[in-house]
Amino acid sequence: MASSRRDLAVRATVDQGLLSPAEPVVALLDTAGIRASATALTSAFAAVTDAHVLHAFAVKATPLVPVLRLLHEAGLGAEVASPGELALARAAGIPPARTVLDSPAKTPAELRQALALGIAVNADSLQELARLDALVASAPTASPLGLRVNPQVGAGSIGALSTATATSKFGVTLRDEGARKTVVQACLERPWLTRLHTHTGSQGIPLALMAQAVGEVYVLAEEVNRAAGRQQIDTLDIGGGLPVNFASDEETPTYAEYARLLADTVPGLFDGRYRLVTEFGRSLLAKHGTVLARVEYTKTSGGRPIAVTHAGVQLATRTVYAPEAWPLRVLAYDSEGRPRTDDVTVQDVAGPACFAGDLLATGRALPLLHPGDVVAVPDTGAYYFAHHYAYNSLRRPGIHGFTVDDDGAVTFATVREAQTLDEIVAEAGGARADALVR
């Protein structure tokens, strides 16, 4: 079980000195868990269709080259949304044919690079289509080209992550007056436009809403193909967005549930006429990452115990600023990395940053924490420790993948070294100290 592997890894970080007074915060990735999620995804779609499916991992979720290489070896491609993410995917060895470029703000240089490499591109607006017109006319390309549409099906429980609302900044709308006719005509005028793309959002989006949006785009593809008198649209990019359960170790909902729902809701999607692309991110990595931090001090304020740790807003930025939308579990271990099982006490778990709201958990029932204990924050493998927020110039932690053999022995592999103080100074203009006083 993932939880037992995690317990063994926590103990091993202490035993092997990865977590210590000198290195009081580290991040872990369970490589067996990541592989299992990749297999669950590919198997779920293979169970409902024989169509060609490219599962392109959303690099934004965990932009780490070793993670991208691991997923590539597991059969996944990459969805990128910036020159930086594309550079990471290329460094990981992911070929252009298994890479998809999305973004609402692609520059001409980004588009030219993608078309020169043969990377699939989803245009996000009619203006971007016009820009592609000129580029396609100027030089041949092997890039499959598509258009992102917004089916305007509504929002989930987290507005900021809902991308198919009436006023979303993403894609070309389908329900605004005259919009659908414009989209169909735009496709007919461009025989090279062979894909449609949609993405409803991620955390907080119910599966039924995701399936509804996919159904809307499938119907649009059928409409375009009828109007064209041929199958011009041959690929549907259905995005990602499977939400993650942050309340327990249970992995729900599952890819299998979503694939079956799509098969029931949009059966034509899987009849072999369309190639498919998915862009899952958080759901592949979140459950397989854990932040570990030492408790440095404890105190009581207003009658409530507070444990001050080295993990806070610099790692769990969303949780600190929007705790209702992004609650995280906190697990208690003793100073040797063994799970604490004593009676629980309501307490706060705080981070190291210099503002009052830097709290991982408020009023949480846990075994009473002591200096030197270890707190583990699971479900943080996506959008947490790989997206460092440099508040107080706190160092980025080291990230280590781990494996556990049949005898329970834990082996670590460094994914990213901990940031040094010299690197912090360099990023802050340390080589240009006199730039403003000359």
Side-chain angles (χ1 to χ4, degrees):
M1 292 178 58
S3 59
S4 61
R5 289 198 302 270
R6 180 178 60 227
D7 287 347
L8 290 168
V10 174
R11 179 69 181 271
T13 60
V14 177
D15 290 344
Q16 298 183 33
L18 293 181
L19 186 70
S20 68
E23 293 291 342
V25 57
V26 298
L28 303 181
L29 285 167
D30 179 356
T31 57
I34 296 171
R35 287 193 179 96
S37 281
T39 298
L41 172 58
T42 55
S43 299
F45 278 78
V48 296
T49 183
D50 293 327
H52 179 275
V53 185
L54 169 63
H55 296 290
F57 173 67
V59 173
K60 64 182 73 68
T62 309
L64 296 167
V65 171
V67 168
L68 303 183
R69 174 65 68 85
L70 176 63
L71 292 172
H72 171 51
E73 295 293 329
L76 275 60
E79 183 267 336
V80 301
S82 72
E85 289 184 357
L86 176 56
L88 296 177
R90 296 185 72 188
I94 299 174
R98 299 185 65 77
T99 304
V100 179
L101 174 63
D102 296 320
S103 164
K106 306 180 198 72
T107 67
E110 290 175 59
L111 291 171
R112 281 193 294 271
Q113 180 189 27
L115 268 56
L117 292 171
I119 290 169
V121 176
N122 288 318
D124 193 76
S125 66
L126 297 177
Q127 290 179 1
E128 188 177 340
L129 275 185
R131 186 172 284 179
L132 284 172
D133 285 336
L135 294 173
V136 169
S138 66
T141 179
S143 292
L145 301 175
L147 176 66
R148 178 169 181 169
V149 296
N150 174 9
Q152 296 174 293
V153 294
S157 62
I158 304 175
L161 297 188
S162 300
T163 56
T165 60
T167 58
S168 172
K169 74 175 187 179
F170 291 102
V172 180
T173 59
L174 292 183
R175 296 187 181 183
D176 289 1
E177 185 176 355
R180 190 181 191 90
K181 181 179 179 181
T182 298
V183 168
V184 173
Q185 187 61 34
C187 292
L188 296 178
E189 292 171 355
R190 297 169 174 84
W192 44 263
L193 196 62
T194 60
R195 295 184 166 199
L196 291 175
H197 172 221
T198 191
H199 178 68
T200 312
S202 52
Q203 195 66 17
I205 303 293
L207 298 191
L209 193 65
M210 293 168 60
Q212 180 186 346
V214 172
E216 296 272 352
V217 175
Y218 168 79
V219 170
L220 175 63
E222 296 281 274
E223 183 177 344
V224 170
N225 289 339
R226 283 195 302 271
R230 63 185 181 89
Q231 188 168 357
Q232 175 178 335
I233 303 299
D234 61 21
T235 302
L236 296 178
D237 184 334
I238 63 173
L242 194 76
V244 170
N245 165 34
F246 286 98
S248 74
D249 284 324
E250 186 178 5
E251 295 188 37
T252 56
T254 66
Y255 294 118
E257 290 174 56
Y258 183 45
R260 287 194 298 268
L261 177 61
L262 287 174
D264 292 339
T265 307
V266 197
L269 187 70
F270 294 138
D271 65 11
R273 289 177 299 129
Y274 292 97
R275 289 173 170 254
L276 301 174
V277 179
T278 72
E279 300 177 355
F280 295 100
R282 178 182 289 106
S283 55
L284 280 160
L285 262 293
K287 302 299 287 186
H288 311 305
T290 304
V291 170
L292 303 182
R294 283 173 52 88
V295 176
E296 193 67 44
Y297 299 109
T298 57
K299 63 180 72 173
T300 299
S301 183
R304 177 179 290 174
I306 302 171
V308 180
T309 79
H310 289 272
V313 72
Q314 85 276 29
L315 304 176
T317 313
R318 285 177 168 174
T319 294
V320 168
Y321 285 127
E324 296 82 9
W326 297 101
L328 286 172
R329 292 180 290 150
V330 177
L331 309 177
Y333 295 78
D334 66 19
S335 61
E336 295 182 359
R338 297 172 301 194
R340 292 277 305 278
T341 59
D342 37 318
D343 292 341
V344 301
T345 300
V346 173
Q347 58 198 297
D348 293 350
V349 182
C354 291
F355 73 103
D358 186 25
L359 297 165
L360 285 176
T362 303
R364 192 69 58 86
L366 294 164
L368 185 62
L369 293 164
H370 304 284
D373 280 356
V374 177
V375 296
V377 189
D379 308 331
T380 47
Y383 296 102
Y384 279 92
F385 50 70
H387 296 71
H388 192 79
Y389 175 40
Y391 201 104
N392 284 149
S393 296
L394 292 164
R395 294 193 305 147
R396 290 191 295 269
I399 301 174
H400 307 277
F402 71 88
T403 56
V404 181
D405 68 19
D406 292 340
D407 295 325
V410 179
T411 301
F412 293 103
T414 299
V415 172
R416 187 187 71 193
E417 295 279 1
Q419 188 180 29
T420 67
L421 297 182
D422 286 343
E423 288 170 337
I424 291 176
V425 172
E427 290 180 5
R432 299 174 175 83
D434 294 333
L436 304 180
V437 295
R438 290 174 181 170

